Amino acid sequence: MNDRALHKIVIVGGGAGGLELAAKLGRQFGPAHVTLIDQSDSHIWKPSLHEVAAGTLDIHREDLSYFMLARDCGFTFVLGEMKGLDRQGRTVQLKAVHDDHGNPVLPDRSVPYDTLVLAIGSKSNFFGTPGADEHAIALDSTAQAERFRLRLLHEFVTLNRRKAQADDGVLDIAIVGGGATGVELAAELVEACASLVFYGLNALDPRRDIRITLLEGAPRILSALPEKMSATAQRLLEERGIRIHTSVKVTRVNERSLLDSDGREYPADLCVWAAGIEAPAMLATLGLETSRNHQVVVDGRLQTTDSSIFAMGDCAHAPWAGEDRPLPARAQVAHQQATYLKAILASRIRGECAPAQPFRFRDYGSLVSVGHTRGVGSLMGVLSGKSWFVEGLLARLMYMSLHLMHHRAVLGTMRTAALALGRLLMKRGAPRVKLH
Ligand SMILES: Cc1cc2nc3c(=O)[nH]c(=O)nc-3n(C[C@H](O)[C@H](O)[C@H](O)COP(=O)(O)OP(=O)(O)OC[C@H]3O[C@@H](n4cnc5c(N)ncnc54)[C@H](O)[C@@H]3O)c2cc1C
């Protein structure tokens, strides 16, 4: 068989959806058929980034090397950031890779494909708010989450020294966006701040000296989720001392404050932006149909206007059967799309007709973590179709199981169990928050 006769599937983006797809296909067809491209050399499950930012999860223990995953799951891994496509010649164009000092590591390259899957996720949308790009930190990548964590640690140390000298200052942390990311980060920060005091920064009283403020544009936090979830999450956050302001439109971010559309000012020594997402702008340059926020428009089978290109996850604008809005940007959607696309792409590799039925999203509900021992959730009854409400430790355990399910789809059951046990044991010998 000559090289071209092999049907080559190339997946760009090894996140919640793309990595699961590459692992499922790789195990069945091997590295000659399946290639994964990512701009980073290691994978982290994106919903964990608020824990990395708060320091309650150590990125150096949590991330998985794509090179290791490629070997274990049977796909080829190519490191590089996609910068464009040659659709005629069917190649993905990658930027050169440089090290931290700007030295070249890999040159510009082209990777050939027969079928391409775009799975490059999304990033924060600042909606053109003046100062946001410069002063607010987004949680789109491990690098940004680490940057926030280090700034938090430095602000803490500085304030602790001032407090030891009888200064009456406070540290204001403002989170713009009361969706799941903002709510989870706020709760995680309360626990991280309490832990930092435990490790010697004890001139501080976190409840008095650290003020966490959540600003939401809609009339309630978690506005995309049922009202009961919003009300419970708000109560749990306020019990932890978090200030919540709803119906607030942030119009400017300054170095140490925020302004809203009514001219009110909110102090913000640290500002996190979690107020909406958009797909990478590069997608709008490929000649494919895209939405206003750069998502690639796909049909019910996740196919773009080019029959050799599919898109999935946050970067795809896909119809939601039975609803008059597109599918939401959630890990659950990306996970189910990976399973669906695996069947279509397997048929392409075998040279058979692909299954004709469109993708149907099965909404199992939503869970939001409100700290390490508490969560809230609204789950869809699989048989009854009705939703039921969960709260507390049960909701938190179910939330954690989503992460394990992702690992299981990639690593298999035994390795996931071994990894989970290993991490549990490692935690016993490590501080509750990362301190360096
Ligand atoms: C803090 C936080 C908490 C969240 N919590 C939840 C939750 O509780 N439940 C839930 O359902 N969802 C949650 N989400 C949303 C969820 O993470 C996303 O919906 C999901 O990760 C989307 O999967 P994806 O595969 O489309 O993209 P991602 O998981 O974002 O993966 C995209 C991949 O593409 C790579 N990439 C990007 N650009 C390029 C390029 N040009 N070239 C090569 N590679 C590229 C990236 O490095 C990344 O590996 C959360 C998100 C955040 C930020």
PDB file of all heavy atoms in Angstrom, residues 12-18 37-39 46-47 49-50 66 80-82 119-121 139 181 184 282 312-314 329-332 334 367 399, ligand 1:
ATOM      1  N   VAL A  12      -6.865  18.800  14.806  1.00  0.00           N
ATOM      2  CA  VAL A  12      -6.108  19.942  15.351  1.00  0.00           C
ATOM      3  C   VAL A  12      -6.776  20.365  16.653  1.00  0.00           C
ATOM      4  O   VAL A  12      -7.943  20.770  16.654  1.00  0.00           O
ATOM      5  CB  VAL A  12      -6.070  21.138  14.375  1.00  0.00           C
ATOM      6  CG1 VAL A  12      -5.094  22.198  14.886  1.00  0.00           C
ATOM      7  CG2 VAL A  12      -5.676  20.687  12.983  1.00  0.00           C
ATOM      8  N   GLY A  13      -6.022  20.260  17.757  1.00  0.00           N
ATOM      9  CA  GLY A  13      -6.547  20.617  19.075  1.00  0.00           C
ATOM     10  C   GLY A  13      -6.769  19.371  19.920  1.00  0.00           C
ATOM     11  O   GLY A  13      -7.670  18.587  19.660  1.00  0.00           O
ATOM     12  N   GLY A  14      -5.923  19.189  20.935  1.00  0.00           N
ATOM     13  CA  GLY A  14      -6.016  17.991  21.786  1.00  0.00           C
ATOM     14  C   GLY A  14      -6.652  18.318  23.114  1.00  0.00           C
ATOM     15  O   GLY A  14      -6.095  18.024  24.170  1.00  0.00           O
ATOM     16  N   GLY A  15      -7.848  18.933  23.086  1.00  0.00           N
ATOM     17  CA  GLY A  15      -8.526  19.295  24.333  1.00  0.00           C
ATOM     18  C   GLY A  15      -9.547  18.245  24.730  1.00  0.00           C
ATOM     19  O   GLY A  15      -9.415  17.053  24.398  1.00  0.00           O
ATOM     20  N   ALA A  16     -10.601  18.705  25.397  1.00  0.00           N
ATOM     21  CA  ALA A  16     -11.634  17.795  25.920  1.00  0.00           C
ATOM     22  C   ALA A  16     -12.199  16.912  24.810  1.00  0.00           C
ATOM     23  O   ALA A  16     -12.424  15.722  25.017  1.00  0.00           O
ATOM     24  CB  ALA A  16     -12.749  18.621  26.558  1.00  0.00           C
ATOM     25  N   GLY A  17     -12.412  17.474  23.612  1.00  0.00           N
ATOM     26  CA  GLY A  17     -12.976  16.691  22.515  1.00  0.00           C
ATOM     27  C   GLY A  17     -11.916  16.050  21.632  1.00  0.00           C
ATOM     28  O   GLY A  17     -11.938  14.840  21.372  1.00  0.00           O
ATOM     29  N   GLY A  18     -10.963  16.854  21.144  1.00  0.00           N
ATOM     30  CA  GLY A  18      -9.982  16.381  20.166  1.00  0.00           C
ATOM     31  C   GLY A  18      -9.116  15.244  20.676  1.00  0.00           C
ATOM     32  O   GLY A  18      -8.842  14.277  19.951  1.00  0.00           O
ATOM     33  N   ILE A  37      -2.558  17.327  16.316  1.00  0.00           N
ATOM     34  CA  ILE A  37      -1.684  18.512  16.371  1.00  0.00           C
ATOM     35  C   ILE A  37      -2.133  19.365  17.554  1.00  0.00           C
ATOM     36  O   ILE A  37      -3.335  19.592  17.726  1.00  0.00           O
ATOM     37  CB  ILE A  37      -1.831  19.358  15.079  1.00  0.00           C
ATOM     38  CG1 ILE A  37      -1.420  18.547  13.849  1.00  0.00           C
ATOM     39  CG2 ILE A  37      -1.033  20.649  15.169  1.00  0.00           C
ATOM     40  CD1 ILE A  37      -1.700  19.256  12.518  1.00  0.00           C
ATOM     41  N   ASP A  38      -1.212  19.831  18.364  1.00  0.00           N
ATOM     42  CA  ASP A  38      -1.569  20.811  19.401  1.00  0.00           C
ATOM     43  C   ASP A  38      -0.431  21.808  19.560  1.00  0.00           C
ATOM     44  O   ASP A  38       0.739  21.464  19.382  1.00  0.00           O
ATOM     45  CB  ASP A  38      -1.887  20.144  20.750  1.00  0.00           C
ATOM     46  CG  ASP A  38      -2.759  21.045  21.634  1.00  0.00           C
ATOM     47  OD1 ASP A  38      -2.231  22.015  22.207  1.00  0.00           O
ATOM     48  OD2 ASP A  38      -3.981  20.796  21.715  1.00  0.00           O
ATOM     49  N   GLN A  39      -0.803  23.027  19.942  1.00  0.00           N
ATOM     50  CA  GLN A  39       0.209  24.085  20.124  1.00  0.00           C
ATOM     51  C   GLN A  39       0.995  23.881  21.422  1.00  0.00           C
ATOM     52  O   GLN A  39       2.054  24.470  21.598  1.00  0.00           O
ATOM     53  CB  GLN A  39      -0.474  25.440  20.134  1.00  0.00           C
ATOM     54  CG  GLN A  39      -1.449  25.604  21.283  1.00  0.00           C
ATOM     55  CD  GLN A  39      -2.347  26.828  21.155  1.00  0.00           C
ATOM     56  OE1 GLN A  39      -2.279  27.554  20.190  1.00  0.00           O
ATOM     57  NE2 GLN A  39      -3.175  27.066  22.148  1.00  0.00           N
ATOM     58  N   LYS A  46      -9.509  21.307  30.562  1.00  0.00           N
ATOM     59  CA  LYS A  46      -9.704  22.744  30.772  1.00  0.00           C
ATOM     60  C   LYS A  46     -10.581  23.103  31.982  1.00  0.00           C
ATOM     61  O   LYS A  46     -10.301  24.098  32.662  1.00  0.00           O
ATOM     62  CB  LYS A  46     -10.278  23.358  29.494  1.00  0.00           C
ATOM     63  CG  LYS A  46     -10.022  24.830  29.339  1.00  0.00           C
ATOM     64  CD  LYS A  46     -10.459  25.306  27.968  1.00  0.00           C
ATOM     65  CE  LYS A  46     -10.368  26.800  27.873  1.00  0.00           C
ATOM     66  NZ  LYS A  46     -10.921  27.292  26.608  1.00  0.00           N
ATOM     67  N   PRO A  47     -11.642  22.340  32.280  1.00  0.00           N
ATOM     68  CA  PRO A  47     -12.425  22.700  33.462  1.00  0.00           C
ATOM     69  C   PRO A  47     -11.639  22.675  34.780  1.00  0.00           C
ATOM     70  O   PRO A  47     -12.162  23.084  35.818  1.00  0.00           O
ATOM     71  CB  PRO A  47     -13.551  21.646  33.478  1.00  0.00           C
ATOM     72  CG  PRO A  47     -13.728  21.282  32.044  1.00  0.00           C
ATOM     73  CD  PRO A  47     -12.331  21.307  31.473  1.00  0.00           C
ATOM     74  N   LEU A  49      -8.860  24.425  35.133  1.00  0.00           N
ATOM     75  CA  LEU A  49      -7.968  25.592  35.154  1.00  0.00           C
ATOM     76  C   LEU A  49      -8.218  26.541  36.324  1.00  0.00           C
ATOM     77  O   LEU A  49      -7.291  27.191  36.804  1.00  0.00           O
ATOM     78  CB  LEU A  49      -8.059  26.366  33.828  1.00  0.00           C
ATOM     79  CG  LEU A  49      -7.344  25.726  32.636  1.00  0.00           C
ATOM     80  CD1 LEU A  49      -7.473  26.604  31.403  1.00  0.00           C
ATOM     81  CD2 LEU A  49      -5.858  25.482  32.943  1.00  0.00           C
ATOM     82  N   HIS A  50      -9.487  26.609  36.807  1.00  0.00           N
ATOM     83  CA  HIS A  50      -9.716  27.508  37.955  1.00  0.00           C
ATOM     84  C   HIS A  50      -9.001  26.975  39.197  1.00  0.00           C
ATOM     85  O   HIS A  50      -8.580  27.741  40.055  1.00  0.00           O
ATOM     86  CB  HIS A  50     -11.222  27.692  38.202  1.00  0.00           C
ATOM     87  CG  HIS A  50     -11.926  26.458  38.631  1.00  0.00           C
ATOM     88  ND1 HIS A  50     -12.276  25.460  37.762  1.00  0.00           N
ATOM     89  CD2 HIS A  50     -12.313  26.039  39.863  1.00  0.00           C
ATOM     90  CE1 HIS A  50     -12.867  24.496  38.432  1.00  0.00           C
ATOM     91  NE2 HIS A  50     -12.896  24.808  39.699  1.00  0.00           N
ATOM     92  N   TYR A  66       1.562  14.939  25.640  1.00  0.00           N
ATOM     93  CA  TYR A  66       0.985  14.427  24.388  1.00  0.00           C
ATOM     94  C   TYR A  66       1.882  13.355  23.764  1.00  0.00           C
ATOM     95  O   TYR A  66       1.392  12.455  23.105  1.00  0.00           O
ATOM     96  CB  TYR A  66       0.790  15.559  23.374  1.00  0.00           C
ATOM     97  CG  TYR A  66      -0.414  16.435  23.652  1.00  0.00           C
ATOM     98  CD1 TYR A  66      -0.263  17.785  23.921  1.00  0.00           C
ATOM     99  CD2 TYR A  66      -1.704  15.910  23.625  1.00  0.00           C
ATOM    100  CE1 TYR A  66      -1.365  18.602  24.145  1.00  0.00           C
ATOM    101  CE2 TYR A  66      -2.812  16.713  23.859  1.00  0.00           C
ATOM    102  CZ  TYR A  66      -2.630  18.056  24.119  1.00  0.00           C
ATOM    103  OH  TYR A  66      -3.722  18.849  24.354  1.00  0.00           O
ATOM    104  N   GLY A  80       2.732  22.080  17.381  1.00  0.00           N
ATOM    105  CA  GLY A  80       2.744  23.297  16.566  1.00  0.00           C
ATOM    106  C   GLY A  80       1.386  23.973  16.576  1.00  0.00           C
ATOM    107  O   GLY A  80       0.364  23.339  16.777  1.00  0.00           O
ATOM    108  N   GLU A  81       1.421  25.295  16.350  1.00  0.00           N
ATOM    109  CA  GLU A  81       0.173  26.072  16.310  1.00  0.00           C
ATOM    110  C   GLU A  81      -0.290  26.209  14.866  1.00  0.00           C
ATOM    111  O   GLU A  81       0.470  26.654  14.002  1.00  0.00           O
ATOM    112  CB  GLU A  81       0.435  27.458  16.916  1.00  0.00           C
ATOM    113  CG  GLU A  81      -0.809  28.319  16.931  1.00  0.00           C
ATOM    114  CD  GLU A  81      -0.537  29.728  17.440  1.00  0.00           C
ATOM    115  OE1 GLU A  81       0.504  29.952  18.108  1.00  0.00           O
ATOM    116  OE2 GLU A  81      -1.360  30.608  17.143  1.00  0.00           O
ATOM    117  N   MET A  82      -1.523  25.806  14.611  1.00  0.00           N
ATOM    118  CA  MET A  82      -2.075  25.942  13.257  1.00  0.00           C
ATOM    119  C   MET A  82      -2.220  27.425  12.928  1.00  0.00           C
ATOM    120  O   MET A  82      -2.772  28.185  13.713  1.00  0.00           O
ATOM    121  CB  MET A  82      -3.447  25.259  13.209  1.00  0.00           C
ATOM    122  CG  MET A  82      -4.155  25.460  11.905  1.00  0.00           C
ATOM    123  SD  MET A  82      -5.746  24.595  11.933  1.00  0.00           S
ATOM    124  CE  MET A  82      -6.517  25.308  10.504  1.00  0.00           C
ATOM    125  N   ALA A 119     -10.631  21.257  16.250  1.00  0.00           N
ATOM    126  CA  ALA A 119     -11.099  21.114  17.645  1.00  0.00           C
ATOM    127  C   ALA A 119     -10.254  22.024  18.532  1.00  0.00           C
ATOM    128  O   ALA A 119      -9.756  21.611  19.577  1.00  0.00           O
ATOM    129  CB  ALA A 119     -10.976  19.656  18.082  1.00  0.00           C
ATOM    130  N   ILE A 120     -10.115  23.296  18.087  1.00  0.00           N
ATOM    131  CA  ILE A 120      -9.152  24.174  18.784  1.00  0.00           C
ATOM    132  C   ILE A 120      -9.782  25.007  19.900  1.00  0.00           C
ATOM    133  O   ILE A 120      -9.152  25.921  20.435  1.00  0.00           O
ATOM    134  CB  ILE A 120      -8.353  25.064  17.807  1.00  0.00           C
ATOM    135  CG1 ILE A 120      -9.273  25.982  17.017  1.00  0.00           C
ATOM    136  CG2 ILE A 120      -7.496  24.215  16.874  1.00  0.00           C
ATOM    137  CD1 ILE A 120      -8.504  27.001  16.167  1.00  0.00           C
ATOM    138  N   GLY A 121     -11.022  24.684  20.272  1.00  0.00           N
ATOM    139  CA  GLY A 121     -11.585  25.294  21.478  1.00  0.00           C
ATOM    140  C   GLY A 121     -11.931  26.767  21.319  1.00  0.00           C
ATOM    141  O   GLY A 121     -12.183  27.261  20.214  1.00  0.00           O
ATOM    142  N   LEU A 139      -8.687  32.824  31.832  1.00  0.00           N
ATOM    143  CA  LEU A 139      -8.258  31.458  32.181  1.00  0.00           C
ATOM    144  C   LEU A 139      -8.455  30.543  30.971  1.00  0.00           C
ATOM    145  O   LEU A 139      -9.286  29.640  30.991  1.00  0.00           O
ATOM    146  CB  LEU A 139      -9.056  30.920  33.368  1.00  0.00           C
ATOM    147  CG  LEU A 139      -8.882  31.628  34.698  1.00  0.00           C
ATOM    148  CD1 LEU A 139      -9.616  30.873  35.799  1.00  0.00           C
ATOM    149  CD2 LEU A 139      -7.398  31.742  35.069  1.00  0.00           C
ATOM    150  N   THR A 181     -17.469  29.229  35.268  1.00  0.00           N
ATOM    151  CA  THR A 181     -16.040  29.483  35.513  1.00  0.00           C
ATOM    152  C   THR A 181     -15.855  30.485  36.655  1.00  0.00           C
ATOM    153  O   THR A 181     -15.068  30.261  37.580  1.00  0.00           O
ATOM    154  CB  THR A 181     -15.373  30.014  34.235  1.00  0.00           C
ATOM    155  OG1 THR A 181     -15.604  29.085  33.189  1.00  0.00           O
ATOM    156  CG2 THR A 181     -13.887  30.209  34.410  1.00  0.00           C
ATOM    157  N   GLU A 184     -17.009  28.988  40.092  1.00  0.00           N
ATOM    158  CA  GLU A 184     -16.090  27.963  40.606  1.00  0.00           C
ATOM    159  C   GLU A 184     -14.785  28.597  41.072  1.00  0.00           C
ATOM    160  O   GLU A 184     -14.220  28.218  42.097  1.00  0.00           O
ATOM    161  CB  GLU A 184     -15.824  26.916  39.525  1.00  0.00           C
ATOM    162  CG  GLU A 184     -17.065  26.067  39.257  1.00  0.00           C
ATOM    163  CD  GLU A 184     -16.870  24.969  38.229  1.00  0.00           C
ATOM    164  OE1 GLU A 184     -15.843  24.980  37.530  1.00  0.00           O
ATOM    165  OE2 GLU A 184     -17.741  24.097  38.133  1.00  0.00           O
ATOM    166  N   MET A 282      -8.336  33.093  13.827  1.00  0.00           N
ATOM    167  CA  MET A 282      -7.711  32.421  12.670  1.00  0.00           C
ATOM    168  C   MET A 282      -8.746  31.611  11.880  1.00  0.00           C
ATOM    169  O   MET A 282      -8.654  31.490  10.658  1.00  0.00           O
ATOM    170  CB  MET A 282      -6.592  31.526  13.212  1.00  0.00           C
ATOM    171  CG  MET A 282      -5.820  30.714  12.220  1.00  0.00           C
ATOM    172  SD  MET A 282      -6.556  29.101  11.905  1.00  0.00           S
ATOM    173  CE  MET A 282      -6.416  28.296  13.482  1.00  0.00           C
ATOM    174  N   MET A 312     -15.626  20.489  15.825  1.00  0.00           N
ATOM    175  CA  MET A 312     -16.291  19.995  17.042  1.00  0.00           C
ATOM    176  C   MET A 312     -15.918  20.855  18.254  1.00  0.00           C
ATOM    177  O   MET A 312     -14.973  21.637  18.212  1.00  0.00           O
ATOM    178  CB  MET A 312     -15.858  18.549  17.314  1.00  0.00           C
ATOM    179  CG  MET A 312     -14.386  18.443  17.671  1.00  0.00           C
ATOM    180  SD  MET A 312     -13.824  16.749  17.915  1.00  0.00           S
ATOM    181  CE  MET A 312     -14.776  16.253  19.308  1.00  0.00           C
ATOM    182  N   GLY A 313     -16.678  20.671  19.318  1.00  0.00           N
ATOM    183  CA  GLY A 313     -16.354  21.360  20.583  1.00  0.00           C
ATOM    184  C   GLY A 313     -16.648  22.851  20.510  1.00  0.00           C
ATOM    185  O   GLY A 313     -17.462  23.315  19.711  1.00  0.00           O
ATOM    186  N   ASP A 314     -15.933  23.614  21.337  1.00  0.00           N
ATOM    187  CA  ASP A 314     -16.194  25.046  21.477  1.00  0.00           C
ATOM    188  C   ASP A 314     -15.990  25.821  20.181  1.00  0.00           C
ATOM    189  O   ASP A 314     -16.557  26.900  20.019  1.00  0.00           O
ATOM    190  CB  ASP A 314     -15.234  25.660  22.528  1.00  0.00           C
ATOM    191  CG  ASP A 314     -15.613  25.295  23.947  1.00  0.00           C
ATOM    192  OD1 ASP A 314     -16.480  24.420  24.123  1.00  0.00           O
ATOM    193  OD2 ASP A 314     -15.013  25.873  24.876  1.00  0.00           O
ATOM    194  N   ALA A 329     -21.117  25.676  24.639  1.00  0.00           N
ATOM    195  CA  ALA A 329     -19.681  25.372  24.726  1.00  0.00           C
ATOM    196  C   ALA A 329     -19.412  24.673  26.054  1.00  0.00           C
ATOM    197  O   ALA A 329     -19.119  25.321  27.062  1.00  0.00           O
ATOM    198  CB  ALA A 329     -18.879  26.674  24.632  1.00  0.00           C
ATOM    199  N   ARG A 330     -19.588  23.370  26.061  1.00  0.00           N
ATOM    200  CA  ARG A 330     -19.399  22.597  27.297  1.00  0.00           C
ATOM    201  C   ARG A 330     -18.594  21.339  27.017  1.00  0.00           C
ATOM    202  O   ARG A 330     -18.679  20.763  25.922  1.00  0.00           O
ATOM    203  CB  ARG A 330     -20.762  22.214  27.881  1.00  0.00           C
ATOM    204  CG  ARG A 330     -21.339  23.323  28.727  1.00  0.00           C
ATOM    205  CD  ARG A 330     -22.807  23.219  28.951  1.00  0.00           C
ATOM    206  NE  ARG A 330     -23.256  21.939  29.454  1.00  0.00           N
ATOM    207  CZ  ARG A 330     -24.552  21.648  29.586  1.00  0.00           C
ATOM    208  NH1 ARG A 330     -25.471  22.526  29.271  1.00  0.00           N
ATOM    209  NH2 ARG A 330     -24.932  20.476  30.025  1.00  0.00           N
ATOM    210  N   ALA A 331     -17.854  20.890  28.025  1.00  0.00           N
ATOM    211  CA  ALA A 331     -17.028  19.683  27.873  1.00  0.00           C
ATOM    212  C   ALA A 331     -17.898  18.471  27.530  1.00  0.00           C
ATOM    213  O   ALA A 331     -17.498  17.593  26.765  1.00  0.00           O
ATOM    214  CB  ALA A 331     -16.261  19.437  29.169  1.00  0.00           C
ATOM    215  N   GLN A 332     -19.124  18.457  28.080  1.00  0.00           N
ATOM    216  CA  GLN A 332     -20.043  17.350  27.828  1.00  0.00           C
ATOM    217  C   GLN A 332     -20.378  17.233  26.327  1.00  0.00           C
ATOM    218  O   GLN A 332     -20.490  16.139  25.793  1.00  0.00           O
ATOM    219  CB  GLN A 332     -21.321  17.648  28.619  1.00  0.00           C
ATOM    220  CG  GLN A 332     -22.158  16.463  28.927  1.00  0.00           C
ATOM    221  CD  GLN A 332     -23.481  16.880  29.588  1.00  0.00           C
ATOM    222  OE1 GLN A 332     -24.492  16.345  29.247  1.00  0.00           O
ATOM    223  NE2 GLN A 332     -23.475  17.818  30.513  1.00  0.00           N
ATOM    224  N   ALA A 334     -18.423  18.368  23.790  1.00  0.00           N
ATOM    225  CA  ALA A 334     -17.197  17.935  23.089  1.00  0.00           C
ATOM    226  C   ALA A 334     -16.988  16.425  23.265  1.00  0.00           C
ATOM    227  O   ALA A 334     -16.626  15.714  22.322  1.00  0.00           O
ATOM    228  CB  ALA A 334     -15.990  18.709  23.636  1.00  0.00           C
ATOM    229  N   LEU A 367     -23.285  20.490  36.489  1.00  0.00           N
ATOM    230  CA  LEU A 367     -22.799  20.480  37.867  1.00  0.00           C
ATOM    231  C   LEU A 367     -21.788  21.605  38.021  1.00  0.00           C
ATOM    232  O   LEU A 367     -20.973  21.836  37.126  1.00  0.00           O
ATOM    233  CB  LEU A 367     -22.108  19.147  38.168  1.00  0.00           C
ATOM    234  CG  LEU A 367     -23.025  17.927  38.242  1.00  0.00           C
ATOM    235  CD1 LEU A 367     -22.231  16.658  38.014  1.00  0.00           C
ATOM    236  CD2 LEU A 367     -23.750  17.873  39.581  1.00  0.00           C
ATOM    237  N   TYR A 399     -19.348  15.854  40.215  1.00  0.00           N
ATOM    238  CA  TYR A 399     -18.566  16.813  39.421  1.00  0.00           C
ATOM    239  C   TYR A 399     -17.159  16.240  39.167  1.00  0.00           C
ATOM    240  O   TYR A 399     -16.652  16.262  38.047  1.00  0.00           O
ATOM    241  CB  TYR A 399     -18.487  18.130  40.197  1.00  0.00           C
ATOM    242  CG  TYR A 399     -17.592  19.182  39.574  1.00  0.00           C
ATOM    243  CD1 TYR A 399     -18.092  20.070  38.637  1.00  0.00           C
ATOM    244  CD2 TYR A 399     -16.248  19.284  39.941  1.00  0.00           C
ATOM    245  CE1 TYR A 399     -17.282  21.033  38.071  1.00  0.00           C
ATOM    246  CE2 TYR A 399     -15.426  20.243  39.379  1.00  0.00           C
ATOM    247  CZ  TYR A 399     -15.947  21.118  38.448  1.00  0.00           C
ATOM    248  OH  TYR A 399     -15.128  22.071  37.886  1.00  0.00           O
TER     249      TYR A 399
HETATM  250  C1  LIG B   1     -12.115  27.381  34.151  1.00  0.00           C
HETATM  251  C2  LIG B   1     -13.099  26.626  33.257  1.00  0.00           C
HETATM  252  C3  LIG B   1     -14.033  25.785  33.855  1.00  0.00           C
HETATM  253  C4  LIG B   1     -14.927  25.047  33.044  1.00  0.00           C
HETATM  254  N1  LIG B   1     -15.814  24.210  33.643  1.00  0.00           N
HETATM  255  C5  LIG B   1     -16.624  23.438  32.891  1.00  0.00           C
HETATM  256  C6  LIG B   1     -17.507  22.508  33.495  1.00  0.00           C
HETATM  257  O1  LIG B   1     -17.576  22.389  34.716  1.00  0.00           O
HETATM  258  N2  LIG B   1     -18.296  21.749  32.676  1.00  0.00           N
HETATM  259  C7  LIG B   1     -18.239  21.849  31.305  1.00  0.00           C
HETATM  260  O2  LIG B   1     -18.968  21.127  30.598  1.00  0.00           O
HETATM  261  N3  LIG B   1     -17.411  22.724  30.711  1.00  0.00           N
HETATM  262  C8  LIG B   1     -16.606  23.529  31.467  1.00  0.00           C
HETATM  263  N4  LIG B   1     -15.762  24.428  30.853  1.00  0.00           N
HETATM  264  C9  LIG B   1     -15.779  24.522  29.382  1.00  0.00           C
HETATM  265  C10 LIG B   1     -14.964  23.360  28.781  1.00  0.00           C
HETATM  266  O3  LIG B   1     -13.653  23.416  29.299  1.00  0.00           O
HETATM  267  C11 LIG B   1     -14.941  23.473  27.274  1.00  0.00           C
HETATM  268  O4  LIG B   1     -16.270  23.487  26.779  1.00  0.00           O
HETATM  269  C12 LIG B   1     -14.199  22.288  26.654  1.00  0.00           C
HETATM  270  O5  LIG B   1     -12.854  22.218  27.134  1.00  0.00           O
HETATM  271  C13 LIG B   1     -14.184  22.419  25.129  1.00  0.00           C
HETATM  272  O6  LIG B   1     -13.446  21.369  24.588  1.00  0.00           O
HETATM  273  P1  LIG B   1     -12.691  21.554  23.182  1.00  0.00           P
HETATM  274  O7  LIG B   1     -12.110  20.218  22.866  1.00  0.00           O
HETATM  275  O8  LIG B   1     -13.614  22.175  22.211  1.00  0.00           O
HETATM  276  O9  LIG B   1     -11.557  22.624  23.441  1.00  0.00           O
HETATM  277  P2  LIG B   1     -10.378  22.706  24.570  1.00  0.00           P
HETATM  278  O10 LIG B   1     -10.603  21.717  25.644  1.00  0.00           O
HETATM  279  O11 LIG B   1     -10.316  24.142  24.917  1.00  0.00           O
HETATM  280  O12 LIG B   1      -9.107  22.283  23.738  1.00  0.00           O
HETATM  281  C14 LIG B   1      -8.611  23.058  22.671  1.00  0.00           C
HETATM  282  C15 LIG B   1      -7.206  22.568  22.353  1.00  0.00           C
HETATM  283  O13 LIG B   1      -6.772  23.190  21.140  1.00  0.00           O
HETATM  284  C16 LIG B   1      -5.439  23.634  21.265  1.00  0.00           C
HETATM  285  N5  LIG B   1      -5.282  24.760  20.302  1.00  0.00           N
HETATM  286  C17 LIG B   1      -5.889  25.966  20.356  1.00  0.00           C
HETATM  287  N6  LIG B   1      -5.537  26.706  19.272  1.00  0.00           N
HETATM  288  C18 LIG B   1      -4.697  25.945  18.533  1.00  0.00           C
HETATM  289  C19 LIG B   1      -3.996  26.142  17.306  1.00  0.00           C
HETATM  290  N7  LIG B   1      -4.124  27.281  16.593  1.00  0.00           N
HETATM  291  N8  LIG B   1      -3.192  25.147  16.852  1.00  0.00           N
HETATM  292  C20 LIG B   1      -3.050  23.987  17.554  1.00  0.00           C
HETATM  293  N9  LIG B   1      -3.694  23.740  18.722  1.00  0.00           N
HETATM  294  C21 LIG B   1      -4.512  24.708  19.200  1.00  0.00           C
HETATM  295  C22 LIG B   1      -5.321  24.034  22.727  1.00  0.00           C
HETATM  296  O14 LIG B   1      -3.956  23.990  23.157  1.00  0.00           O
HETATM  297  C23 LIG B   1      -6.181  22.953  23.412  1.00  0.00           C
HETATM  298  O15 LIG B   1      -5.406  21.810  23.744  1.00  0.00           O
HETATM  299  C24 LIG B   1     -14.871  25.180  31.636  1.00  0.00           C
HETATM  300  C25 LIG B   1     -13.925  26.052  31.038  1.00  0.00           C
HETATM  301  C26 LIG B   1     -13.057  26.764  31.849  1.00  0.00           C
HETATM  302  C27 LIG B   1     -12.036  27.683  31.194  1.00  0.00           C
END
